[in-house]
Every structure is written in structure tokens, then in C-alpha cells.
Amino acid sequence: MTWTAVARKDFEDAIRSRWVAGLSALFVLLVSAAAYLVRPAPGRTISSNQVLNSLLVRDALVTTLVPLIALIVAYNAIVGERESGSLKLLLSLPHSRADVVFGKVFGRAGAIAAPIGVGFLLPAAILLVVPAVNFDAISYVGYTLLTAILGVVFVSIAVGFSTAASSSRRAVAGAIGIYFLFVPLWGAVRFPLRLYLGMGGGPGWLPLTGQQVLRMLRLINPTGSFKIVSNAFLQGSLYTGGSVNMQVSATLMLLVWILVPPLLGLLWFQEADL
């Protein structure tokens, strides 16, 4: 019995959840509506990449809705079982605490990847039958996978927080705080800061220029790193053109967000008294 057994059971439990079913249906409807609304004007032709890269799909849906779905799916992964008492039963089997944490990450990652895959399936059918859209299957599948990675990032953050939280109430509060920090508040703070730094201001106590500070803030936010990678991918210049250093840094930052929160949660979990 290893983390794979934990992941399999957790995926099966999560995928049967009414929350996952409802959010999957919502995601399918919204992405399909977006694909329809971004259709070309009469007499014009657009590519499926332009549809995916539109503000409606990229910002209004992917970077707003996917983190929310992931946090809802995963915020209760560990602390819920801890409060119900089933965590002690799980650990009485031949599972280590690391098996439980990473099994939960993989199980909930599969649970978020499934609705994302389904969510992009119907819009693909819509784009295929619209004659004025040039459908790029490779780019479409690649963008779907990148969106799933964004979901996995927020699953890892939520599982890490759930591992360290002492109650479901705190896990809920943490999930809400994480969402508002990275989605609406980050942009609200970054906008005036960009104006200030763009006018020549800057932190004199830091060995960084204003532009370097802005790039760092963009990279730290998982949605910002996702946009850097996905934009370059849809433009066909990922790691080959544009700002390659930013693209590599954004990719590494996404990997950091996937690995570090569960590891930090595990450090606390190893010493926790259940």
C-alpha cells in the first residue's frame, strides 16, 4: 500500500462529489459560451489560438475560475479526514504520512484535471464546426494541459494548507484568503505599483530596478506565471522567442508552487499530534 492507493481512492471519492460535478458543468457551459461569443465577424477568419488567448477565455475563465475550483476541490483534503477521524484509520494501514499528503495531491489533481479536460472538449467541438475558425489541435490540447497544470498548482497550495490547518473552518478561511490574494487583490495592488515604478520610483533599499520588482511580482503569482507560459505557447515562441528567461522562470515558479506547499505541510504534519 503506497501513495498510489491513497491517490486512487481520493480521486474516486472526489470525482463523485456533487461539488466537482456541478463545477464541471459550470466550467463546460462558460467555456462553451466564451468560444461562441469570441466567434469571428462575418467575412473574417480567426484561429483557435486567438479564441483561447482572448481576454474572455484566458482571464475571465481560466485564471479566475480554475483556481477557485481547485481550492474548493482540495481545501478539505487532509483536515476533513482529520476531523472525521478517518485519518487515524488511514494511517493505521501501511501508509506513511508522506504517502497520505502526496496521495491526496495526486488524487485531487486528477479530480481537477478531469473537469478541465471535459470543459475544453465541448468548445473544441463548437470551434471545429465553425467554418471561419482555423482549429489548431496541438495548440488546443497543449493549452488544455497548461490549464490543468494551473489547477494542479492551486490543488497543491490547498492541500499544503489543509495539511497544516487545525480545523475545516481555518482551511476554508485559508482557501478564501489564498484566492483573493492571488486573483483579485494581486492585480489591484500591482496596478498602482506599476504606475509608481514606471514613473521612476523604486525601493532604494533593494538592489533591484523597478522593472525587476514588477517582473518578480508577476512571476510569484501562479496565474501570472501561467499567463507568461501560455501566451508564449499559443504564439509558438515558448523557449524559442521573446523573453526566454521569463518563460523559463515562470515554468520553474509553477513547479515550485506544485512542490513546496505540500512539502511544507508535510513538515508540520510529521510532528502533528492527531
Side-chain angles (χ1 to χ4, degrees):
M1 302 284 279
T2 62
W3 65 267
T4 56
V6 177
R8 188 182 305 111
K9 181 181 183 303
D10 199 60
F11 171 77
E12 292 171 353
D13 291 343
I15 209 69
R16 288 195 294 264
S17 166
R18 292 181 180 179
W19 272 107
V20 175
L23 292 171
S24 299
L26 176 64
F27 193 73
V28 170
L29 291 173
L30 291 178
V31 178
S32 300
Y36 176 77
L37 293 173
V38 189
R39 66 189 185 280
R44 297 187 61 187
T45 301
I46 63 173
S47 69
S48 57
N49 286 5
Q50 289 175 281
V51 175
L52 292 174
N53 210 25
S54 68
L55 291 176
L56 186 61
V57 175
R58 185 190 63 194
D59 288 343
L61 290 178
V62 171
T63 58
T64 301
L65 191 56
V66 168
L68 179 61
I69 296 174
L71 291 170
I72 290 174
V73 166
Y75 81 92
N76 213 27
I78 300 289
V79 73
E81 293 209 26
R82 184 182 178 187
E83 288 187 332
S84 68
S86 59
L87 186 58
K88 289 183 179 180
L89 177 61
L90 185 61
L91 290 172
S92 69
L93 299 172
H95 299 306
S96 67
R97 297 195 180 197
D99 289 335
V100 172
V101 172
F102 288 102
K104 292 288 185 179
V105 171
F106 278 90
R108 302 293 165 122
I112 189 64
I116 288 174
V118 173
F120 278 99
L121 185 62
L122 183 56
I126 294 174
L127 294 174
L128 279 169
V129 299
V130 176
V133 175
N134 295 322
F135 188 78
D136 186 339
I138 294 176
S139 293
Y140 195 90
V141 172
Y143 187 82
T144 303
L145 292 175
L146 287 174
T147 303
I149 290 173
L150 178 65
V152 173
V153 167
F154 280 91
V155 163
S156 293
I157 295 172
V159 171
F161 195 90
S162 179
T163 304
S166 58
S167 67
S168 292
R169 183 175 298 179
R170 291 188 177 183
V172 170
I176 293 172
I178 290 166
Y179 180 78
F180 277 95
L181 172 64
F182 283 136
V183 181
L185 292 181
W186 200 276
V189 172
R190 202 168 160 265
F191 178 72
L193 188 60
R194 184 169 57 216
L195 293 178
Y196 166 67
L197 294 175
M199 295 174 63
W205 48 274
L206 280 179
L208 298 172
T209 66
Q211 290 303 313
Q212 288 173 327
V213 172
L214 287 175
R215 284 197 294 269
M216 182 179 66
L217 289 175
R218 187 181 181 193
L219 287 169
I220 289 174
N221 190 328
T223 61
S225 290
F226 165 79
K227 289 179 184 179
I228 292 171
V229 175
S230 62
N231 287 348
F233 175 75
L234 291 176
Q235 293 166 9
S237 60
L238 185 60
Y239 310 134
T240 59
S243 182
V244 176
N245 288 338
M246 280 289 285
Q247 296 166 21
V248 172
S249 298
T251 303
L252 293 175
M253 186 57 67
L254 291 173
L255 291 175
V256 166
W257 277 116
I258 290 173
L259 294 174
V260 172
L263 287 173
L264 291 178
L266 178 61
L267 287 176
W268 179 91
F269 191 45
Q270 294 284 23
E271 304 298 328
D273 184 8
L274 304 181

